């Protein structure tokens, strides 16, 4: 009996993604745009051996050059860069959970572009998921600290939007992206480095521990995981594979609590479960 390649690849990607907030906390000494560059360069190296075999026969369909080498690298940069900037400006657990509402955004985008409308259960699922994120932000809002973190939360939400658009385009591109991943990451890294030179001109010396955490971030969550996700959505039942992503916020919260970076509270697991529940409802409604 053949192994279910798609679901296994999706599960592997989910575990790697859930480790991202923990690695970001370990690399807080690195300015976010420099960290983005390190992570994307590492991601390019990680994706290279996984795509070498397919690179020999990889051909870009006519008219897809701008999409593969323009739009998708910008979405990758937006997803990674906005996430790291957001988590540098807001509490890690809260910012990560906002980003991890992207599966429900993915369902919203898919249904809108497929049917030109949104079904009631999809909208209801989105309301549940975003309600979970709101629950986690409620203590900040009640204490008056929300305004100080608002920019970070906005960047985290932008990262989620980029992830959702990226996943939707992965389904729609006429060719698998795996052979092109090293180049896509490299393009995104070059743009991140250029922006970093302008916005972070005095980054100073970078600690080796932060560089190592940034490299691990690129090798795992933003390198191998991206290739694994591309394999998953092309080789497995999209409903099952998509549902695996719902476990990311729960696993991420668990990793942060176990590592001692986040204080345990009832709001965190409840909010994570609401995000998962909302994503499930939206997926079934679609």
């Amino acid at each position: 009996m053949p192994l279910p390649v798609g679901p296994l690849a999706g599960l592997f990607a989910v575990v790697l993604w859930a480790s991202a907030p923990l690695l970001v906390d370990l690399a807080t000494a690195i300015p976010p745009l420099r960290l983005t560059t390190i992570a994307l360069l590492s991601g390019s190296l990680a994706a290279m051996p996984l795509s070498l075999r397919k690179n020999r026969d990889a051909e870009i369909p006519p008219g897809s050059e701008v999409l593969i080498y323009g739009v998708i690298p910008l979405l990758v940069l937006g997803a990674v860069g906005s996430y790291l900037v957001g988590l540098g400006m807001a509490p890690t657990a809260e910012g990560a959970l906002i980003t991890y509402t992207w599966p429900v955004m993915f369902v919203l985008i898919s249904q809108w572009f497929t049917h030109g409308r949104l079904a009631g259960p999809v909208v209801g699922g989105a309301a549940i998921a975003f309600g979970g994120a709101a629950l986690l932000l409620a203590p900040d809002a009640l204490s008056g600290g929300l305004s100080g973190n608002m920019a970070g939360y906005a960047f985290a939400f932008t990262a989620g939007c980029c992830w959702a658009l990226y996943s939707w385009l992965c389904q729609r591109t006429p060719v698998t992206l795996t052979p092109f991943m090293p180049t896509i990451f490299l393009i995104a890294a070059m743009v991140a480095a250029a922006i970093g030179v302008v916005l972070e001109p005095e980054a100073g010396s970078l600690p080796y521990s932060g560089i190592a955490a940034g490299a691990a971030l690129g090798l795992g969550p933003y390198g191998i995981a991206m290739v694994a996700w591309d394999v998953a959505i092309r080789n497995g039942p999209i409903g099952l594979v998509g549902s695996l992503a719902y476990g990311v916020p729960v696993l991420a919260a668990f990793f942060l609590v176990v590592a001692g970076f986040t204080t345990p509270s009832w709001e965190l697991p409840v909010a994570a479960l609401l995000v998962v529940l909302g994503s499930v409802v939206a997926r079934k409604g679609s």
Side-chain angles (χ1 to χ4, degrees):
M1 182 176 180
L3 291 174
V5 175
L8 284 178
L11 181 61
F12 186 51
V14 164
V15 173
L16 289 175
W17 280 335
S19 69
L22 180 59
L23 291 171
V24 171
D25 263 340
L26 292 172
T28 51
I30 308 290
L33 290 173
R34 301 294 172 94
L35 182 59
T36 300
T37 303
I38 293 170
L40 289 172
L41 284 175
S42 299
S44 179
L45 293 174
M48 196 171 295
L50 298 175
S51 62
L52 283 178
R53 181 174 60 85
K54 292 186 177 182
N55 259 330
R56 298 170 188 165
D57 304 316
E59 292 184 5
I60 301 177
S64 299
E65 294 86 357
V66 173
L67 174 65
I68 293 176
Y69 291 138
V71 176
I72 289 178
L74 289 178
L75 285 176
V76 170
L77 174 60
V80 178
S82 296
Y83 181 72
L84 296 181
V85 171
L87 265 60
M89 302 172 68
T92 302
E94 287 84 342
L97 189 65
I98 290 174
T99 297
Y100 293 148
T101 58
W102 72 261
V104 77
M105 289 190 262
F106 171 55
V107 175
L108 291 171
I109 292 170
S110 296
Q111 182 164 95
W112 178 260
F113 281 103
T114 301
H115 303 290
R117 61 180 177 82
L118 296 176
V122 174
V123 176
I128 294 172
F130 292 129
L135 173 66
L136 197 59
L137 303 184
D140 250 3
L142 294 175
S143 65
L146 184 62
S147 59
N149 297 321
M150 188 59 72
Y153 295 145
F155 275 110
F157 182 74
T158 300
C161 292
C162 290
W163 277 125
L165 284 170
Y166 168 83
S167 293
W168 181 72
L169 284 177
C170 278
Q171 280 189 287
R172 297 303 187 272
T173 50
V175 64
T176 179
L177 294 178
T178 300
F180 309 104
M181 280 297 185
T183 305
I184 289 171
F185 279 118
L186 186 59
I187 293 171
M190 291 171 62
V191 177
I195 297 174
V197 169
V198 176
L199 298 182
E200 297 172 347
E202 298 180 3
S205 60
L206 305 180
Y208 292 118
S209 59
I211 293 175
L217 185 66
L219 290 172
Y222 298 134
I224 298 173
M226 297 282 274
V227 175
W229 187 247
D230 183 55
V231 171
I233 63 176
R234 289 188 177 274
N235 294 279
I238 191 61
L240 174 60
V241 171
S243 66
L244 292 175
Y246 307 152
V248 174
V250 177
L251 279 176
F254 175 75
F255 289 161
L256 285 171
V257 170
V258 169
F261 286 106
T262 297
T263 303
S265 67
W266 69 267
E267 293 96 344
L268 183 57
V270 171
L273 289 174
L274 284 174
V275 170
V276 172
L277 176 62
S279 298
V280 172
V281 170
R283 170 66 66 180
K284 289 186 177 295
S286 66

